[in-house]
Amino acid sequence: MRKKKLLFISAENPFPQDSGGKLRTGNILKLLMEKYEVDLLTYRNQRTENRHEHDPDLAVHEVERTMSYRKAMLRSIYKWRNCSYLSHADKDMHDEIVMLSEENRYAQVFISHSLLGACIDIVRRVLPEAVIITDAHNFESSLSAQLVKKKQGIAKLYFRLNTVWTRQDELKLMDKTSLLLATSEEDGLLFKALSFKNSHKVHVIPNFIRISDYTGKPDADKEQSVILPGNMNYFPNVHAAAYFCREIYPLIKAKLPNIKWYIVGRDVHPDVAALAAQDSSIIITGYVDSVADYVRKSGVVIVPLLEGSGTRLKILEAWALKTPVVSSTIGAEGLFYEHGKNILIADSPADFAASVLQLLGDREQGKQLADHAYQTLLAHYEAESVKEKLLGLV
């Protein structure tokens, strides 16, 4: 029996899977392909060497990106819409959405990000009866409000307006989408609180990984090093790196002068790049083919986040690779964790530094922590543990 077709719209090409958002998008896509014949509509992959990494059974339809972040910021003023270019992907994708929808008459359409709400309007005009599922990677208005605190002057006013626009976008989304997937119970409750009449649409599908993607290589010998993985142009990660460098890293170096700190991730923000110029023990890799190789050899994964929403795939990857994690409370928000059993939680600079030093100095404790974390991962955040619920909803 031939599978039904599903249109999957993502403003970020999930291949290669080199960031948290792309991991979630790609992993959900792979599960949906077990049930549907999927057409993926996305931006053209800028990394030409990885352009054909996706599954050969996946039909990929690519459009060129004309909507830069600067253009999106300007367009947001007269559209009263969130300023992220993701929010304005409908401009570049309009014709392709119409063409694919008219040709295939999809009964299900999957929108991979709450910021793509405007794409729903295009789909509805062509397919008024389609079931539209939106995956909310974050509760974006909360992130926007957190960003305002870091701005000053006219920028502060602009991003305060952006918070208002984002909240309006989320309210409209709750009306327009058939189902909304949240990454955590906390985010799910926030979406439900937006609209009581639409609260039944909200379901939690946690971030998850495929453990088979992390096996096959032997465990590496751990270095006297820490690692901060992630997209280094994403403002919570940029602020976390600056905070760790300013408040925590000097305390660690005072005890371990030969320590190394790896910052591993694509799109390095100038504020992050400047950190390495100040200290030769800070190693910024930029884009790498395998973040996992760096996580395997590092002594501790650090997650010193001060802002955020959703759940952190960087923690799940560390758990899969059996590397112990020290995180702030915000960094581990939404995950099933127990301080001292599968993770160490520290919210002051002194406590964070002490926790890192404790794990670097006691390899056996780190191993026990990582082993318990691995079991938590298998129970709650491995693909098979969420597959039945996801495919039952979509």
XYZ file of all heavy atoms in Angstrom, residues 211 219 222 299 315-325 336 338 340-344 359 362-380:
335
model
N 19.880 7.122 18.948
C 21.109 6.674 19.602
C 22.062 6.016 18.613
O 23.292 6.057 18.787
C 20.786 5.723 20.782
C 21.985 5.628 21.732
C 20.340 4.371 20.284
C 22.358 6.905 22.418
N 34.904 4.958 22.851
C 35.007 6.105 23.743
C 36.439 6.639 23.713
O 37.412 5.878 23.737
C 34.642 5.704 25.176
C 33.163 5.343 25.301
O 32.392 5.772 24.438
O 32.810 4.625 26.260
N 39.438 10.998 27.951
C 38.986 12.335 28.291
C 40.167 13.277 28.541
O 41.130 12.921 29.210
C 38.097 12.292 29.541
C 36.802 11.493 29.360
C 35.881 12.134 28.353
C 34.520 11.450 28.308
N 33.651 12.006 27.254
N 36.318 16.601 28.905
C 36.028 16.116 30.247
C 34.638 16.469 30.724
O 33.987 15.680 31.419
N 22.623 18.928 25.609
C 22.676 18.056 26.785
C 22.363 16.615 26.386
O 23.030 15.676 26.821
C 21.711 18.550 27.878
C 22.209 19.890 28.449
C 21.571 17.512 28.992
C 21.341 20.475 29.541
N 21.359 16.428 25.537
C 21.019 15.078 25.101
C 22.182 14.437 24.352
O 22.452 13.237 24.511
C 19.767 15.104 24.225
C 18.488 15.658 24.867
C 17.310 15.488 23.910
C 18.197 14.977 26.199
N 22.865 15.203 23.525
C 24.017 14.658 22.804
C 25.132 14.275 23.766
O 25.792 13.247 23.595
C 24.513 15.664 21.775
C 23.590 15.828 20.585
C 24.260 16.517 19.414
O 24.599 17.710 19.545
O 24.453 15.866 18.377
N 25.368 15.111 24.784
C 26.385 14.779 25.788
C 26.017 13.495 26.513
O 26.878 12.634 26.758
C 26.532 15.930 26.781
N 24.739 13.337 26.846
C 24.283 12.113 27.504
C 24.488 10.905 26.599
O 24.906 9.838 27.059
C 22.816 12.249 27.892
C 22.574 13.176 29.052
C 23.510 13.882 29.746
C 21.310 13.496 29.653
N 22.914 14.618 30.742
C 21.568 14.397 30.711
C 20.001 13.109 29.405
C 20.555 14.919 31.523
C 18.976 13.627 30.205
C 19.262 14.523 31.252
N 24.201 11.060 25.307
C 24.386 9.956 24.370
C 25.851 9.561 24.239
O 26.176 8.386 24.024
C 23.838 10.338 22.995
N 26.744 10.545 24.379
C 28.178 10.311 24.223
C 28.878 10.067 25.554
O 30.106 10.017 25.617
C 28.807 11.514 23.508
C 28.315 11.703 22.066
C 28.636 13.100 21.565
C 28.899 10.644 21.144
N 28.081 9.950 26.620
C 28.592 9.619 27.960
C 29.676 10.596 28.438
O 30.713 10.196 28.962
C 29.087 8.178 28.007
C 27.965 7.161 27.779
C 28.416 5.740 28.045
C 27.260 4.752 27.906
N 27.651 3.364 28.186
N 29.391 11.878 28.233
C 30.242 12.935 28.758
C 29.437 13.698 29.809
O 28.317 14.138 29.524
C 30.690 13.900 27.645
O 31.431 13.153 26.662
C 31.572 15.005 28.193
N 29.973 13.849 31.036
C 29.195 14.502 32.095
C 28.911 15.974 31.787
O 29.675 16.624 31.072
C 30.083 14.347 33.335
C 31.457 14.153 32.804
C 31.301 13.419 31.503
N 27.806 16.467 32.345
C 27.323 17.821 32.056
C 27.205 18.627 33.338
O 26.688 18.142 34.352
C 25.939 17.770 31.358
C 25.409 19.185 31.113
C 26.012 16.972 30.066
N 14.159 15.734 32.172
C 14.098 14.910 33.379
C 15.531 14.787 33.918
O 16.359 14.106 33.325
C 13.551 13.516 33.061
C 12.094 13.495 32.728
C 11.668 13.312 31.419
C 11.138 13.654 33.719
C 10.319 13.292 31.103
C 9.785 13.625 33.420
C 9.378 13.450 32.113
N 18.174 14.857 37.657
C 18.323 14.838 39.103
C 19.748 15.267 39.422
O 20.707 14.567 39.062
C 18.048 13.444 39.664
C 18.073 13.382 41.193
C 17.738 12.010 41.726
O 17.128 11.202 40.987
O 18.089 11.731 42.896
N 23.189 15.698 40.740
C 24.055 14.763 41.437
C 23.919 13.332 40.971
O 24.742 12.489 41.336
N 22.882 13.056 40.157
C 22.703 11.690 39.655
C 23.005 11.600 38.167
O 23.772 10.745 37.731
C 21.286 11.188 39.935
C 21.108 9.724 39.528
C 19.778 9.164 39.998
C 19.673 7.675 39.633
N 18.382 7.093 40.080
N 22.371 12.483 37.343
C 22.658 12.428 35.907
C 23.173 13.759 35.349
O 23.423 13.875 34.145
C 21.432 11.957 35.111
C 20.199 12.805 35.367
O 20.286 13.891 35.920
N 19.036 12.283 34.974
N 23.333 14.745 36.223
C 23.822 16.066 35.822
C 24.198 16.827 37.088
O 23.712 16.496 38.182
C 22.716 16.831 35.035
C 23.282 18.011 34.249
C 21.596 17.287 35.966
C 22.254 18.621 33.277
N 25.053 17.834 36.948
C 25.308 18.759 38.050
C 24.727 20.116 37.668
O 24.974 20.620 36.564
C 26.809 18.883 38.342
C 27.522 17.636 38.883
C 28.978 17.965 39.234
C 26.792 17.053 40.089
N 34.316 17.353 38.636
C 34.232 16.294 37.626
C 35.562 16.061 36.924
O 35.904 14.923 36.599
C 33.147 16.642 36.602
C 31.710 16.610 37.115
C 30.739 17.078 36.040
C 31.325 15.219 37.596
N 37.643 14.043 39.425
C 37.142 12.729 39.855
C 36.488 12.043 38.658
O 35.280 12.158 38.435
C 36.140 12.901 40.996
C 35.701 11.577 41.619
O 35.936 10.519 40.996
O 35.109 11.601 42.722
N 37.285 11.338 37.880
C 36.792 10.707 36.654
C 35.715 9.665 36.949
O 34.792 9.466 36.156
C 37.956 10.042 35.909
C 39.030 11.013 35.405
C 38.473 11.969 34.377
N 39.508 12.760 33.740
C 39.302 13.806 32.962
N 38.053 14.191 32.737
N 40.295 14.470 32.416
N 35.817 8.981 38.065
C 34.847 7.946 38.398
C 33.472 8.552 38.638
O 32.447 8.007 38.202
C 35.302 7.160 39.621
C 34.416 5.962 39.971
C 34.261 4.975 38.817
O 35.216 4.793 38.041
O 33.152 4.391 38.689
N 33.423 9.693 39.333
C 32.132 10.363 39.535
C 31.547 10.796 38.195
O 30.347 10.644 37.952
C 32.276 11.586 40.444
C 30.923 12.254 40.706
C 31.034 13.621 41.358
O 32.137 14.175 41.433
N 29.922 14.154 41.809
N 32.416 11.330 37.336
C 31.947 11.739 36.014
C 31.391 10.577 35.222
O 30.373 10.705 34.534
N 32.043 9.420 35.321
C 31.576 8.235 34.611
C 30.215 7.780 35.143
O 29.319 7.428 34.367
C 32.600 7.104 34.750
C 32.259 5.849 33.972
C 33.340 4.802 34.105
C 33.028 3.567 33.262
N 31.717 2.977 33.589
N 30.052 7.782 36.463
C 28.776 7.378 37.049
C 27.662 8.337 36.637
O 26.542 7.908 36.308
C 28.896 7.318 38.571
C 29.769 6.187 39.086
C 29.921 6.194 40.598
O 29.309 7.008 41.291
N 30.743 5.298 41.123
N 27.961 9.631 36.649
C 26.989 10.650 36.241
C 26.572 10.411 34.788
O 25.378 10.430 34.455
C 27.613 12.032 36.403
C 26.685 13.232 36.591
C 26.053 13.204 37.977
C 27.472 14.530 36.406
N 27.564 10.180 33.931
C 27.300 9.978 32.507
C 26.518 8.693 32.258
O 25.634 8.648 31.385
C 28.614 9.962 31.738
N 26.812 7.628 33.008
C 26.085 6.368 32.837
C 24.612 6.520 33.202
O 23.722 6.011 32.504
C 26.723 5.265 33.694
C 28.046 4.767 33.128
O 28.314 5.026 31.940
O 28.818 4.133 33.877
N 24.324 7.221 34.305
C 22.925 7.461 34.687
C 22.222 8.350 33.657
O 21.037 8.143 33.347
C 22.856 8.115 36.072
C 23.087 7.152 37.197
N 24.057 7.345 38.159
C 22.490 5.981 37.520
C 24.042 6.337 39.016
N 23.101 5.496 38.646
N 22.951 9.327 33.138
C 22.372 10.208 32.125
C 22.016 9.423 30.862
O 20.981 9.666 30.231
C 23.356 11.333 31.798
N 22.860 8.496 30.500
C 22.626 7.664 29.314
C 21.327 6.867 29.473
O 20.525 6.763 28.532
C 23.817 6.725 29.125
C 23.779 5.903 27.854
C 24.137 6.473 26.631
C 23.404 4.556 27.876
C 24.116 5.715 25.461
C 23.384 3.800 26.719
C 23.746 4.386 25.509
O 23.725 3.636 24.355
N 21.091 6.338 30.663
C 19.863 5.592 30.917
C 18.632 6.500 30.862
O 17.578 6.108 30.365
C 19.945 4.876 32.271
C 21.022 3.797 32.341
C 20.903 2.763 31.232
O 19.805 2.288 30.924
N 22.040 2.416 30.619
N 18.771 7.735 31.364
C 17.676 8.711 31.273
C 17.359 9.006 29.816
O 16.186 9.094 29.424
C 18.066 10.018 31.991
O 18.409 9.732 33.351
C 16.925 11.028 31.951
N 18.395 9.153 29.016
C 18.225 9.411 27.588
C 17.441 8.292 26.912
O 16.475 8.541 26.177
C 19.598 9.561 26.928
C 19.612 9.648 25.401
C 19.139 11.018 24.956
C 20.986 9.356 24.845
N 17.844 7.067 27.154
C 17.174 5.931 26.516
C 15.706 5.839 26.917
O 14.844 5.481 26.103
C 17.891 4.623 26.878
C 19.318 4.442 26.346
C 19.871 3.095 26.776
C 19.373 4.583 24.828
N 15.422 6.200 28.169
C 14.045 6.077 28.673
C 13.118 7.165 28.151
O 11.922 6.928 27.941
C 14.054 6.088 30.201
N 13.651 8.368 27.917
C 12.771 9.509 27.633
C 13.056 10.253 26.334
O 12.154 10.919 25.811
C 12.858 10.523 28.782
C 12.453 9.989 30.114
N 11.140 9.750 30.449
C 13.195 9.624 31.193
C 11.077 9.272 31.683
N 12.310 9.181 32.152
